[in-house]
Amino acid sequence: MAAKIRPLIAGNWKMNGLKSAGLREARNLARTMKKHGKPGCDVLVCPPATLLAPLRDAMKGSHIAIGGQDCHGNEGGAHTGDISASMLKDTGCAYVIVGHSERRADHGESSREVRAKAEAAHRAGLRAIICVGETAAERKRGQTLKVIGKQLADSLPKGSTAKNTVVAYEPVWAIGTGLTPTVEDVAEVHASIRSRLRRRFRDDGAAMQLLYGGSVKGSNAAELMAVANVNGALVGGASLTAADFWPIVETCI
Ligand code: PGA
């Protein structure tokens, strides 16, 4: 039997959060965590880049990690508006999300570019959270597993290990919509991802954290976290306040 995989509950604040409210929520989260003791999962918050350093300081000593929402595939240079993996590392990040469907859709990012970003994250010593997921049309056409298989093959670098890579399955149609797949559908996709990871990365593929994301909230987290091969959650809207995020973390206690 494979060893139990420690879950990861990750919050993605997206383009939300100004300093006063962001700091207040981060402090609330750190305080709540302290009160309840260290949970049985890793906890991560990925705020906008402007709040990385303030949140790092506000949550110091709390065991809550901070991460970026994206990084460039290059180390540095003439890339106005972009941020490099080593800059994130330098600010205290442990993780970076790459290939989120909003980046793939809004910025036309291909899986090849996502792989370059994940490679940059690995070089900088960050854990890359690599996102995959089908659109509603692809699911309707019965192409879900095929689409995700291709995204995985093209987005995950050769050197991916259980230590430097997390995979997040996020159906595009479930993000920010309040809709979630059935637990059977989540189980089917996660089993397929696990078997592909195992085939390609052997023991590392068997041990990689595999997150579900898309309309996760306190009311459905326990059910989703209980699905086989679900090792945590990537949470958008419900990660913005400590009051909404903590009940999701609590499912791992
Ligand atoms: P949501 O977003 O929880 O608001 O649906 C999830 C995500 O995009 O990571």
Side-chain angles (χ1 to χ4, degrees), residues 8-12 42-46 97 129 211 232-236 239 245:
L8 167 66
I9 304 294
N12 171 13
D42 298 330
V43 182
L44 165 68
V45 177
C46 300
I97 300 168
I129 301 179
L211 313 184
L234 183 53
V235 185
S239 71
F245 194 47

Side-chain angles (χ1 to χ4, degrees), residues 12 14 97 100-102 131 170 174-178 213-216 234-238:
N12 171 13
K14 308 191 180 183
I97 300 168
H100 189 283
S101 66
E102 286 152 16
C131 303
E170 299 204 303
I175 295 175
T177 58
S215 296
V216 176
L234 183 53
V235 185

Side-chain angles (χ1 to χ4, degrees), residues 98-100 104 109-119 130-131 154-155 157:
V98 294
H100 189 283
R104 291 180 188 260
E109 286 182 9
S110 66
S111 288
R112 270 185 65 170
E113 284 169 274
V114 173
R115 187 173 67 223
K117 289 170 183 243
E119 282 166 352
I130 303 175
C131 303
D154 294 346
S155 307

Side-chain angles (χ1 to χ4, degrees), residues 43-68:
V43 182
L44 165 68
V45 177
C46 300
T50 47
L51 290 184
L52 283 168
L55 257 65
R56 171 200 64 202
D57 296 341
M59 302 194 299
K60 210 174 187 155
S62 68
H63 300 287
I64 300 168
I66 56 162

Side-chain angles (χ1 to χ4, degrees), residues 6 98 110-111 116-117 138 153 173 187 220 226 229 244:
R6 184 176 167 82
V98 294
S110 66
S111 288
K117 289 170 183 243
E138 288 161 344
W173 52 271
N220 61 16
N229 290 302
D244 286 337

